[in-house]
């Protein structure tokens, strides 16, 4: 670590000790903007043999228990890096150099599992009902399941998952290590929206390192330092995926994609069903291309929500549309289909005077002939096309007598009406 970084950290340590209590609030507000200090603190944490590591861990713990929200979040942003340093030192079995980091993690854990009055916390999580719409789904798109869930929701049935109470811990062992770390990562994920970009980058990097160290993929990633495998639990990997999913849409697409692939790789080796399910679900929901947006500003996930008001399609078949279609058919001119083209031939239509274009039934035809029995209907005239008058030079067509049996027309082959 450079001397400049050492000087920045030492100044920060002495500044808070002499700070009056009335100025703590303004000090905490401006602390998140000191990028040089944050970068120097990361360098101190990454060096377990540094002399400044113990006073830095003590200062961060003082921030966390001060009760000031901004100071609490300032400590939380270093939590992924602190976890990695502790796991790396534990894997190398050099527990003496990780004593201050272990004390800081235990202190944060013991503060979080109790409320302000000192009673154990019981965290509750209500699982959303599929029958109620959200930004992720519409009940109408699920089908029959929505009806079943809707019937249950009307009776006030909802599934609530409880976490806690958690026991106090005095030291970290191989049995309770990931129980404590999983709870700490849960607290970190609860404040993800307040974490800076450098903290999200640290989260993605340590997740990737934890999952591939000691495996063949470590050579592909070119990670150096720890070469032994770091054991992880299924619940801890699910919490890692929660933070990585947030990093996808907040400017860290490449690091988050690499970390998710490494977690999926480790979950397949360990045969953990929960991280496999969550990782594959995240992978299937990601857009095809990377998010090219800038790292500043808000992010959003585009979803398609059907409108609440019902709309009738323009092509819907209704009684009015059927009636209108019938009127259009009746209003068509009688000579609209004077000729039907079949190839290059034109078959003329048989025209009968004083006969409407509508088809009539047997009873109606007899009444029509009875009323017009004094009139004669002209026979069918044979038409031909003269090649001399046809501009297109079509050949002469001699129409043969129609062999079609004209039922109910009362017309014989000579075109006379039979009475």
């Amino acid at each position: 670590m450079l001397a400049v970084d050492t000087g920045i950290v030492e100044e920060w340590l002495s500044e808070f000790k002499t700070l009056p209590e009335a100025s703590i609030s303004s000090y905490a507000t401006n602390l998140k903007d000191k990028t040089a200090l944050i970068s120097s603190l990361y360098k101190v944490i990454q060096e377990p043999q540094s002399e400044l590591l113990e006073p830095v861990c003590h200062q961060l713990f003082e921030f966390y228990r001060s009760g000031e929200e901004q100071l609490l979040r300032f400590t939380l942003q270093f939590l992924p890096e602190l976890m990695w340093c502790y796991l790396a030192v534990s894997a190398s079995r050099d527990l003496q150099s990780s004593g201050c980091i272990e004390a800081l993690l235990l202190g944060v854990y013991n503060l979080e599992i109790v409320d302000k009055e000192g009673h154990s916390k019981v965290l509750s999580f209500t699982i959303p009902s599929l029958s109620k719409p959200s930004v992720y789904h519409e009940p109408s798109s699920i089908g029959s399941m929505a009806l079943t869930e809707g019937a249950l929701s009307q009776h006030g049935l909802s599934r609530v998952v409880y976490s806690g109470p958690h026991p106090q811990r005095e030291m970290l062992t191989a049995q309770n290590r990931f129980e404590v770390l999983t709870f700490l990562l849960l607290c970190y994920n609860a404040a993800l929206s307040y974490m800076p970009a450098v903290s999200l980058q640290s989260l993605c990097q340590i997740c990737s390192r934890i999952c591939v160290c000691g495996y063949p993929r470590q050579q592909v990633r070119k990670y150096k330092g720890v070469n032994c495998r770091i054991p992880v639990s299924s619940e801890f990997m699910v919490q890692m995926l929660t933070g990585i999913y947030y990093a996808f849409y907040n400017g860290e697409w490449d690091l988050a994609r690499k970390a998710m692939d490494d977690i999926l790789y480790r979950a397949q080796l360990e045969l953990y069903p929960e991280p496999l399910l969550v990782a594959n679900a995240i992978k299937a929901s990601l857009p095809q291309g990377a998010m090219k947006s800038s790292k500043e500003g808000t992010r959003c996930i585009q979803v398609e929500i059907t409108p609440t008001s019902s709309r009738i399609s323009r092509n819907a078949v209704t009684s009015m549309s059927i009636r209108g279609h019938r009127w259009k058919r009746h209003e068509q001119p009688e000579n609209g289909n004077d000729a039907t083209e079949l190839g290059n031939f034109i078959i003329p239509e048989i025209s009968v005077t004083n006969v409407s274009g509508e088809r009539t039934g047997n009873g109606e035809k007899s009444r029509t002939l009875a009323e017009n029995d004094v009139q004669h209907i002209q026979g069918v005239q044979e038409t031909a096309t003269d090649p001399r008058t046809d501009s297109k030079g079509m050949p002469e067509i001699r129409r043969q007598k129609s062999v079609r049996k004209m039922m109910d027309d009362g017309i014989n082959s000579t075109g006379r009406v039979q009475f």
Side-chain angles (χ1 to χ4, degrees), residues 185-206:
L185 201 53
L186 174 65
C187 299
Y188 175 84
N189 291 334
L192 272 175
S193 58
Y194 303 102
M195 295 297 105
V198 63
S199 182
L200 296 179
Q201 295 171 7
S202 174
L203 173 68
C204 296
Q205 291 171 357
I206 69 105

Side-chain angles (χ1 to χ4, degrees), residues 47-73:
E47 294 185 8
Q49 307 299 332
S50 176
E51 297 179 354
L52 294 174
L53 182 59
E54 185 174 352
V56 165
C57 290
H58 178 74
Q59 182 88 318
L60 291 176
F61 180 69
E62 292 294 329
F63 279 6
Y64 203 87
R65 71 174 184 176
S66 65
E68 186 67 32
E69 196 69 23
Q70 298 291 340
L71 295 179
L72 184 145
R73 294 169 185 168

